[in-house]
Amino acid sequence: MKLWSTVATLLMIALLLPSLAFGATSPPTAKIVLDGKTLTTEVDPLNVDGNVLVPIRQIFEKLGAKVTWDQSKQTATIVRDSMKIQLTVGDRKPVVNGSRAEQLEVAPMNVKGNVLVPVRFVGQKIGYDFKWVQETSTVQIFPKSGQGSGAGTPPTTPTPTPTPNPGQVSDKVLVKTIQLTKDQLLVGTDKKSPQANVFKLTSPDRIVIDLPGTELDASLAGKLVNNVGEVPSLHPMVEKVRFSNFNNDPATVRITLDMKANADLTISAAAGQANLLVGVLKAPEPGKTKYKVVIDAGHGGTDSGAVSLTNKKEKDFVLAVANKVAKLLEKEPNIQTYMTRSTDTFVTLKGRSEFANNLDADLFLSIHANKATPTAGGTETFYYERADSKAFANVVQKHLLEATGFKNRGVKEGDLHVVRETKMPAALAEVGFLSNAQEEALMYTSAFQDKVAASFVAAIKEYLKIS
């Protein structure tokens, strides 16, 4: 199947399919099956007034498109080759290549940070047909005739994965052994081991090792229970070792060390043995750890950011807080603080992320303020995809809520440049809403800014395990 022929079609279905009338009086959930496989999405598809709405990011990205989200405009943009589609929450008229398309029956919605659009907008122009299965509340999406295997016939059950021939050559690396001795982590593979991606998680403390391009061999796969297996730990700093086939596309084996104590892990191929990874755990040396933390005050210079009800500027609020954070961090001997801007200057998004990456920083925190309707309010924190960034965002949100006392809008995944393009754990905090009279009044007081700055410092110290 040619992916972009499918994506091009996803964009105009609203006019070409009859209504999917299900007679619902409330928005029940549905599920989606694409090419015989049930799609897993962060939020369930919905049936609204007889129209099924689906999460746009998961569907388009499955088809190779790039999806970005503009928080201030509440607009999702989908780009692939020469095609550009913009869908705005609450607006029934999408923009396709700069021109307004015909009106959708139901406007896109934002549900828990995910944009949902009518399924009729994701159909025939991409070479797909639909079938609604009332009994299971399922929308089946399948290729039209000539678009690939199984084309033209809606599947009734997922196609089973074929069993490979015994002599079939696989490009995946098989993980054959996982062992944690009192000194080392040993991971044996059937061919040259891949480079491991290692990161830490907190609450509770874990070290995670992802091995891209790998899967468990039969002996280890046979130990999985609900896709999780365990091997005993003989290491004094590790409670237990867990492993799983974490991802299928790309294939990834994940090994997780449940820690008893804070430690760092270095892992690489053994000398002269390309099919053996050796990991060594070591406790940080007291007084010698110097973490590099980047504090990013959003906007600046010609970019004012959001403007409040009384014409105050977001750039001024976030700079005041960022400078207070930097001043507090100066008192921390184990932290070296860097700022993307400390004055009212303009820095590009690319400049911010490159600054942090070139420093090889350990942590990145971007500070912002929100704007929407006068009734909207609350505190939220964003991250992008990586588990370490999500863990940091959770800690930031916890402390920030204690400082603001505002409504908890949650921790959300957002396709925002500074958290997407930075290579270290990164979070973007939206402290409160400048469009909310009560929140704005507090946000421009020095006492409130002091509390917010202290909460950010507490979050940074907790994540880095600095007492």
Side-chain angles (χ1 to χ4, degrees):
M1 172 173 52
K2 295 182 179 178
L3 288 182
W4 186 239
S5 76
T6 59
V7 169
T9 344
L10 256 171
L11 306 174
M12 296 305 233
I13 175 110
L15 299 176
L16 299 178
L17 286 178
S19 294
L20 295 173
F22 310 117
T25 57
S26 61
T29 60
K31 66 179 180 179
I32 274 197
V33 175
L34 174 64
D35 285 346
K37 298 179 181 179
T38 300
L39 296 184
T40 301
T41 54
E42 292 182 10
V43 295
D44 291 327
L46 297 176
N47 177 351
V48 179
D49 296 329
N51 293 270
V52 174
L53 283 81
V54 299
I56 193 170
R57 175 185 292 279
Q58 285 85 354
I59 289 182
F60 279 114
E61 289 187 345
K62 287 287 185 184
L63 300 171
K66 179 69 174 177
V67 181
T68 57
W69 171 247
D70 186 323
Q71 175 72 14
S72 62
K73 296 180 181 178
Q74 293 284 291
T75 297
T77 301
I78 306 106
V79 176
R80 178 66 186 248
D81 297 332
S82 61
M83 181 72 71
K84 181 178 181 180
I85 310 99
Q86 294 171 294
L87 294 146
T88 301
V89 171
D91 188 345
R92 293 169 61 189
K93 288 190 175 182
V95 175
V96 179
N97 285 341
S99 300
R100 284 277 188 179
E102 295 197 34
Q103 185 166 288
L104 302 170
E105 290 188 10
V106 179
M109 298 180 179
N110 189 333
V111 178
K112 298 180 180 179
N114 292 263
V115 177
L116 276 68
V117 298
V119 72
R120 293 190 312 169
F121 197 68
V122 285
Q124 287 186 340
K125 291 288 184 180
I126 57 161
Y128 275 84
D129 275 331
F130 291 79
K131 180 183 178 182
W132 170 252
V133 182
Q134 180 71 33
E135 294 79 8
T136 57
S137 298
T138 300
V139 177
Q140 293 182 343
I141 310 176
F142 54 93
K144 296 173 68 176
S145 180
Q147 293 294 319
S149 62
T153 304
T156 55
T157 58
T159 303
T161 303
T163 302
N165 296 325
Q168 184 175 354
V169 177
S170 171
D171 57 355
K172 296 175 185 175
V173 177
L174 292 179
V175 176
K176 299 174 69 67
T177 59
I178 300 172
Q179 181 183 11
L180 183 60
T181 72
K182 62 183 181 66
D183 299 310
Q184 297 176 321
L185 173 68
L186 304 173
V187 181
T189 57
D190 70 333
K191 60 184 76 169
K192 183 178 179 180
S193 300
Q195 181 174 348
N197 298 322
V198 179
F199 57 91
K200 290 183 177 182
L201 297 175
T202 59
S203 301
D205 293 336
R206 288 150 290 164
I207 295 178
V208 179
I209 307 103
D210 281 347
L211 303 175
T214 66
E215 66 180 12
L216 299 169
D217 83 339
S219 63
L220 287 176
K223 297 179 180 180
L224 299 179
V225 177
N226 295 326
N227 197 36
V228 178
E230 291 187 15
V231 294
S233 167
L234 300 178
H235 198 287
M237 302 177 75
V238 180
E239 181 71 33
K240 63 182 177 180
V241 181
R242 295 179 285 124
F243 59 89
S244 66
N245 281 317
F246 179 70
N247 199 7
N248 292 326
D249 186 17
T252 304
V253 167
R254 170 166 289 186
I255 302 170
T256 304
L257 309 182
D258 293 331
M259 305 301 296
K260 296 178 181 178
N262 185 24
D264 296 320
L265 175 73
T266 57
I267 186 168
S268 59
Q273 286 184 269
N275 64 339
L276 178 65
L277 290 172
V278 178
V280 178
L281 287 162
K282 186 177 181 181
E285 295 183 44
K288 291 191 176 181
T289 300
K290 195 79 170 180
Y291 295 103
K292 290 182 279 189
V293 176
V294 174
I295 304 299
D296 174 46
H299 309 286
T302 56
D303 177 10
S304 67
V307 178
S308 77
L309 292 173
T310 57
N311 291 318
K312 296 184 175 70
K313 297 173 182 177
E314 178 186 0
K315 68 174 185 176
D316 298 327
F317 166 73
V318 299
L319 180 61
V321 173
N323 281 330
K324 289 174 183 285
V325 172
K327 187 172 182 179
L328 290 173
L329 288 177
E330 287 177 1
K331 303 174 184 178
E332 299 297 329
N334 294 329
I335 294 177
Q336 179 67 51
T337 308
Y338 300 85
M339 300 186 71
T340 57
R341 69 180 185 97
S342 57
T343 59
D344 185 21
T345 54
F346 174 74
V347 183
T348 65
L349 295 177
K350 183 179 180 181
R352 295 167 195 261
S353 59
E354 287 186 345
F355 175 73
N357 291 336
N358 290 338
L359 281 172
D360 193 23
D362 297 292
L363 217 52
F364 181 94
L365 175 64
S366 187
I367 305 171
H368 285 258
N370 240 325
K371 183 177 180 179
T373 62
T375 58
T379 296
E380 59 191 357
T381 305
F382 290 87
Y383 70 97
Y384 183 73
E385 288 191 347
R386 299 193 308 272
D388 52 358
S389 290
K390 183 177 181 179
F392 179 43
N394 281 325
V395 177
V396 170
Q397 180 75 359
K398 178 185 74 172
H399 286 279
L400 188 53
L401 283 172
E402 293 173 355
T404 65
F406 295 163
K407 174 184 175 182
N408 184 1
R409 295 175 63 89
V411 173
K412 304 174 181 178
E413 183 174 346
D415 192 1
L416 306 170
H417 182 98
V418 293
V419 292
R420 184 186 69 235
E421 298 301 324
T422 42
K423 305 303 181 186
M424 66 293 304
L428 185 150
E430 297 276 7
V431 176
F433 280 74
L434 300 182
S435 50
N436 181 299
Q438 290 76 24
E439 293 185 5
E440 180 217 19
L442 284 171
M443 290 166 69
Y444 286 92
T445 65
S446 181
F448 180 85
Q449 292 171 4
D450 287 341
K451 289 172 62 178
V452 169
S455 77
F456 285 140
V457 172
I460 290 167
K461 291 176 65 178
E462 178 177 328
Y463 184 81
L464 295 175
K465 299 191 178 305
I466 298 173
S467 58

